[in-house]
Amino acid sequence: MDVENRNGFQVGRADTSDWTALTKIDPVAAAGDNARRDSIRRWCDHGVVLMAQDASGPLGYSVLEYNFFEQGFVTMLVVAPSARRRGVGANLLTAIEAACTTAKLFTSTNVSNHPMQHLLQRVGWRPVGLLHGLDEGDPELFYLCPSTRLRDAAGTGG
């Protein structure tokens, strides 16, 4: 599923061996958060990670799971600080949309995460709800991908 785009990087499914490289570009994992490192390894082991990379290595990754009311959910989207503003996040979302097998695809971000909100709005996702209580003082804002961009939009997926 590797797809090269006009920005010179590829997006494809990460495999188990990619997890250590991903921990180096994830600011939380790179700062020593063992829980995040464990999550990245588990996600890679389960085959739910899409990774953007170029000749220098990984630029970002996203995680697609189906544990949100049995609908697609972008659990994580990370772009290496050095790769931001190059279209990596938008291309990862496009790849997630293409890979999603359900009629709906959601994600969420903290209200304080303005770069993620800007990205989601720029690519056409719309806010659909707000949840208080996950992170004290920083509510979670939920977004929905336009259904016309999902392969299950016609009800043919699984």
Side-chain angles (χ1 to χ4, degrees):
M1 172 179 164
D2 286 352
V3 176
E4 187 159 347
N5 66 40
R6 69 183 189 281
N7 295 325
F9 57 86
Q10 295 180 332
V11 175
R13 194 155 310 273
D15 61 38
T16 301
S17 66
D18 293 317
W19 82 272
T20 54
L22 294 177
T23 64
K24 293 175 184 168
I25 65 159
D26 182 310
V28 174
D33 187 306
N34 287 327
R36 177 66 69 85
R37 292 174 57 81
D38 291 344
S39 291
I40 294 169
R41 184 176 202 161
R42 179 176 34 83
W43 291 326
C44 286
D45 286 346
H46 291 148
V48 296
V49 177
L50 293 177
M51 177 175 63
Q53 63 182 341
D54 65 10
S56 69
L59 303 172
Y61 72 94
S62 56
V63 177
L64 173 62
E65 297 181 292
Y66 297 94
N67 52 11
F68 186 72
F69 299 96
E70 297 182 10
Q71 297 298 315
F73 193 87
V74 181
T75 304
M76 185 66 61
L77 189 143
V78 172
V79 176
S82 63
R84 293 182 181 159
R85 311 292 301 162
R86 291 178 45 198
V88 174
N91 279 279
L92 284 167
L93 284 173
T94 298
I96 287 280
E97 292 167 7
C100 185
T101 61
T102 56
K104 294 180 182 177
L105 176 59
F106 295 89
T107 195
S108 69
T109 189
N110 289 99
V111 167
S112 65
N113 189 343
H114 299 289
M116 182 64 170
Q117 290 176 50
H118 178 73
L119 169 63
L120 291 166
Q121 291 169 3
R122 186 169 50 85
V123 299
W125 289 48
R126 64 184 175 91
V128 293
L130 185 67
L131 178 65
H132 293 269
L134 289 177
D135 293 327
E136 192 63 37
D138 197 4
E140 196 79 6
L141 184 57
F142 286 78
Y143 283 83
L144 178 63
C145 176
S147 62
T148 56
R149 298 205 313 239
L150 302 175
R151 67 174 156 176
D152 195 33
T156 58

